[in-house]
Amino acid sequence: MAVNILGISAYYHDSAAALVRDGTVLAAAQQERFSRKKHDAAFPADAIRYCLEEAGIALGDLDQVVFYDKPLIKFERLLETYLAYAPRGLRSFITAMPIWLKEKLFLKDLLKKELARLGDLKTTALPPLLFTEHHQAHAASAFFPSPFERAAVLCLDGVGEWATTSAWLGEGQRLTPQWEIRFPHSLGLLYSAFTYFAGFKVNSGEYKLMGLAPYGEPRYVELIREHLIDIKDDGSFRMKMRYFNYASGLTMTNRRFARLFGGPPRQPESPVTQREMDLARSVQEVTEDIVLRLARTLHQELKTDHLCLAGGVALNCVANGRLLREGPFKDIWIQPAAGDAGGALGAALSVWHQYLDQARAASAGDRMQGAYLGPGFSNARIEDFLRDQGIRYIRLDDNALMPQLAELLAEGRIVGWFQGRMEFGPRALGGRSIIGDPRNPTMQSVMNLKIKYRESFRPFAPAVLAEQLSDWFEQRAPSPYMLMVAPVKADKRIAMSARQQQLFGIDKLNVPRSQVPAITHVDGSARIQTVHPETNPRFHRLIQAFAERTGVPLLINTSFNVRGEPIVCSPADAYRCFMRTEMDYLVLENCLLAKSDQPEPARDDNWRQEFALD
């Protein structure tokens, strides 16, 4: 009999569910994709429902259900922290306690009630409910699907129960803890503190801070080292908590922090100044330094050439790129859903390999199936939807569709690309993407301002044919999950004039930097996704067709959504987003929709109120 294990992450941010059968990942998805609420923290009922449907089973057929966190240990940390900072944390304590006393302290009962309601079962008929520790789930999500038989595993995030940084040794089906750094000393929370201070949302604006960094100068690095964090040679660190408020207050930083950097935090949505750019560059450099030191320490301690990463800090693809180029490890593998969503998958794999002691065989590539683990929609279902809605389209087979799309893209058209199974994790990888021509010098600003409705400084990523990666970028290792940043090859770059080199900050944005300016960041780098025929054959074929038409084997690939909106999940989500933005064409599997064939959209931007700005 097959063993089915459901993993759940919930109640903090990015709730998700994952279903593993006999060690194989059958399905995984974030709740936000169904609820249409970004970073949804609610019980992931829709995601669980999808996982069960994909597996063809009912909830009562599950053998185990596992939650990615141990709430009682987390509560212990909260109490000890409040006591340590008393009476300063009183307001925060009063704010947090009601939800703990009402729900989180009784999480086991809450989960059972939710599961029973979902499965229409009595709680006594539910499968056994287990709990992993937060960093154990992260470590399992990083090592068990990786291609390595033996590897060091480094988990870096804001905080789990107590751990904020943890090191593990993965061997076969075993994960052995090595050491950890505990709250309040947290690299993730240091980065989030600067995210908050720069006027971006914590737990969603960290990408913006990373994207802003190349516009700035590292002029605060020494100030950070001197006042905010004590970094040892081995990469371990201690925060100087007198500058931070997150342990005892309701904000990330305090007045002392603001005085250190010459003024109060930037107000959200106000203009970004050179100070925020310099702060971003500075904390980015400090973060990279710590990650590199920790990696070198792990390499010396564990004597292995392979490293696995997970936790929210592992989504810092600039640090990851440096680790690959400069670090001591021969190869690195990063869980594509490195944040809390991936904890659902890690928890399920942890039960299979560690709790049930089932063997694991490392294999070439990895076991994530390209991260295409979400819902897919057949042409028949899509055509039913289009006909029901009276939407005009044409259906083309791939032999006709791919060359036509390549021509449209080369003409500067922007295309919504919806095909195959939805991605698991924060990145769109050619399943739910908006794509465009990277050679077009105006494409970055057009896509930012007229399609995504987001900040103009934010860079776009290239999706490049894996076999031509090293022709265009200073990297040879594959990067299928868009988690590595590497320089664009020197022979593809355009030298800046003396006048252009004098430019500062956002003025650099409009300077052509390479033959593919729309995906080349101001420092000449790009956040790479390698596209492989084994995991996404249709996206690979489309880029091939574009390369045959233009000589350039890459496309802009950005997530199929607007600012504040979760990535689209269904054909209805995709069509709605298509009609609200200035995309020119929409592809739903083999159905091609032209904007010019659709009814004139209502001149009403009130729909943007649906999504809170991230």
Side-chain angles (χ1 to χ4, degrees):
M1 286 284 287
V3 175
N4 293 290
I5 303 165
L6 177 72
I8 297 172
S9 61
Y11 303 125
Y12 186 50
H13 58 86
D14 297 304
S15 295
L19 201 145
V20 170
R21 175 176 291 164
D22 290 344
T24 299
V25 186
L26 290 191
Q30 293 114 296
Q31 175 66 13
E32 64 163 27
R33 306 296 169 84
F34 306 92
S35 67
R36 313 305 302 151
K37 182 181 176 185
K38 190 112 173 177
H39 304 303
D40 196 344
F43 178 76
D46 300 302
I48 294 172
R49 205 173 282 120
Y50 152 69
C51 287
L52 294 171
E53 185 180 324
E54 189 70 34
I57 59 174
L59 197 140
D61 298 326
L62 290 167
D63 295 278
Q64 312 277 350
V65 178
V66 55
F67 190 71
Y68 82 131
D69 196 293
K70 290 191 173 177
L72 289 180
I73 301 178
K74 186 174 278 187
F75 187 66
E76 171 197 281
R77 187 250 298 169
L78 286 177
L79 284 182
E80 287 197 21
T81 302
Y82 287 129
L83 286 173
Y85 286 88
R88 277 197 288 145
L90 183 62
R91 193 171 157 215
S92 171
F93 180 81
I94 292 171
T95 304
M97 278 308 104
I99 188 74
W100 272 96
L101 295 175
K102 185 180 175 186
E103 289 186 352
K104 291 188 177 181
L105 205 50
F106 307 99
L107 198 66
K108 189 171 186 178
D109 289 339
L110 179 64
L111 285 168
K112 283 188 171 183
K113 285 177 185 172
E114 294 282 8
L115 288 165
R117 186 180 302 129
L118 185 66
D120 194 20
L121 296 168
K122 292 183 177 177
T123 55
T124 53
L126 288 171
L129 178 59
L130 306 172
F131 293 80
T132 65
E133 289 195 10
H134 189 93
H135 270 233
Q136 180 187 6
H138 276 318
S141 78
F143 176 64
F144 290 135
S146 80
F148 309 137
E149 179 61 27
R150 185 175 189 276
V153 182
L154 182 60
C155 303
L156 298 150
D157 68 356
V159 61
E161 292 88 359
W162 276 103
T164 67
T165 302
S166 65
W168 306 69
L169 175 63
E171 291 179 293
Q173 71 216 53
R174 290 282 155 212
L175 266 172
T176 307
Q178 304 295 306
W179 46 260
E180 66 181 31
I181 298 172
R182 289 188 151 205
F183 183 86
H185 310 291
S186 166
L187 183 56
L189 291 176
L190 175 71
Y191 208 87
S192 291
F194 278 86
T195 301
Y196 160 82
F197 194 73
F200 303 122
K201 268 190 181 174
V202 171
N203 287 331
S204 81
E206 283 77 3
Y207 300 119
K208 299 182 188 181
L209 199 70
M210 186 176 65
L212 194 61
Y215 294 99
E217 301 295 327
R219 67 189 183 97
Y220 296 118
V221 167
E222 291 310 313
L223 206 60
I224 294 171
R225 288 176 174 279
E226 184 179 347
H227 291 277
L228 300 186
I229 188 166
D230 178 22
I231 307 169
K232 305 299 184 190
D233 288 343
D234 63 2
S236 61
F237 53 86
R238 285 186 70 81
M239 310 275 285
K240 298 177 181 176
M241 295 306 296
R242 61 198 294 264
Y243 291 92
F244 299 94
N245 206 26
Y246 59 78
S248 58
L250 299 174
T251 59
M252 295 299 294
T253 61
N254 59 23
R255 290 178 184 173
R256 195 175 283 118
F257 188 102
R259 281 198 296 274
L260 193 63
F261 295 107
R266 169 183 167 258
Q267 288 300 305
E269 306 308 315
S270 65
V272 174
T273 69
Q274 189 64 44
R275 183 185 72 152
E276 284 77 53
M277 298 175 200
D278 294 343
L279 286 167
R281 174 71 179 273
S282 301
V283 74
Q284 179 64 32
E285 289 207 0
V286 171
T287 300
E288 291 168 22
D289 178 41
I290 292 172
V291 171
L292 287 167
R293 288 179 192 228
L294 288 171
R296 283 195 291 268
T297 299
L298 264 185
H299 186 257
Q300 289 170 1
E301 290 177 347
L302 300 181
K303 314 293 185 198
T304 171
D305 288 329
H306 300 124
L307 175 67
C308 299
L309 292 171
V313 180
L315 295 170
N316 192 311
C317 41
V318 181
N320 297 342
R322 279 195 65 190
L323 198 51
L324 184 65
R325 290 191 299 279
E326 303 172 30
F329 292 95
K330 286 183 181 175
D331 204 357
I332 297 170
W333 192 86
I334 306 160
Q335 163 58 238
D340 275 13
L345 176 60
L349 289 171
S350 183
V351 169
W352 174 251
H353 288 298
Q354 296 190 277
Y355 185 75
L356 298 177
D357 199 25
Q358 294 295 317
R360 167 184 174 270
S363 57
D366 61 48
R367 295 163 63 193
M368 287 298 293
Q369 303 159 50
Y372 306 108
L373 297 166
F377 296 83
S378 66
N379 275 311
R381 284 185 69 184
I382 289 168
E383 289 193 272
D384 285 346
F385 162 74
L386 295 174
R387 282 193 291 264
D388 285 349
Q389 300 297 316
I391 295 168
R392 297 187 65 180
Y393 71 97
I394 57 173
R395 178 167 170 170
L396 301 169
D397 66 25
D398 281 358
N399 290 333
L401 179 63
M402 301 306 176
Q404 185 165 337
L405 286 177
E407 187 170 344
L408 292 171
L409 290 162
E411 290 172 354
R413 310 294 185 185
I414 298 172
V415 177
W417 171 253
F418 179 107
Q419 57 97 36
R421 295 179 70 179
M422 184 179 71
E423 302 88 342
F424 180 50
R427 294 279 162 264
L429 301 170
R432 305 288 184 274
S433 296
I434 299 172
I435 53 178
D437 185 348
R439 303 169 304 160
N440 190 322
T442 64
M443 192 60 78
Q444 181 180 2
S445 61
V446 169
M447 289 181 82
N448 267 331
L449 301 176
K450 294 187 175 181
I451 307 293
K452 304 282 286 185
Y453 301 120
R454 70 183 195 183
E455 300 89 340
S456 62
F457 69 82
R458 296 180 65 180
F460 286 106
V464 57
L465 295 179
E467 59 272 26
Q468 291 187 251
L469 169 66
S470 58
D471 295 338
W472 286 80
F473 302 99
E474 299 288 352
Q475 180 162 317
R476 293 185 178 279
S479 175
Y481 304 119
M482 208 186 279
L483 287 170
M484 295 283 180
V485 164
V488 174
K489 286 279 249 189
D491 64 349
K492 309 298 184 195
R493 303 269 290 273
I494 297 174
M496 294 174 76
S497 67
R499 186 187 64 79
Q500 289 169 334
Q501 289 179 11
Q502 300 303 313
L503 294 173
F504 277 93
I506 214 79
D507 292 335
K508 297 175 184 173
L509 183 62
N510 296 321
V511 177
R513 299 170 292 273
S514 79
Q515 296 173 27
V516 281
I519 57 87
T520 306
H521 208 356
V522 292
D523 60 354
S525 70
R527 180 162 48 94
I528 300 164
Q529 179 201 355
T530 51
V531 180
H532 304 256
E534 299 83 7
T535 50
N536 198 336
R538 294 189 76 227
F539 196 34
H540 188 273
R541 190 171 173 185
L542 172 60
I543 302 173
Q544 269 186 326
F546 185 76
E548 288 164 8
R549 177 80 170 65
T550 65
V552 176
L554 53 133
L555 289 170
I556 298 173
N557 176 15
T558 186
S559 54
F560 198 151
N561 60 348
V562 296
R563 184 181 174 190
E565 180 188 21
I567 296 174
V568 301
C569 177
S570 68
D573 298 334
Y575 183 74
R576 193 184 310 115
C577 187
F578 169 63
M579 292 301 290
R580 288 171 168 176
T581 64
E582 296 187 33
M583 275 185 267
D584 301 297
Y585 288 86
L586 171 62
V587 176
L588 298 169
E589 291 294 345
N590 286 92
C591 300
L592 179 62
L593 290 70
K595 181 66 71 62
S596 57
D597 290 340
Q598 308 306 314
E600 187 72 20
R603 300 289 179 192
D604 180 3
D605 285 342
N606 286 334
W607 60 266
R608 292 198 206 181
Q609 307 305 317
E610 288 178 28
F611 308 115
L613 293 179
D614 60 5

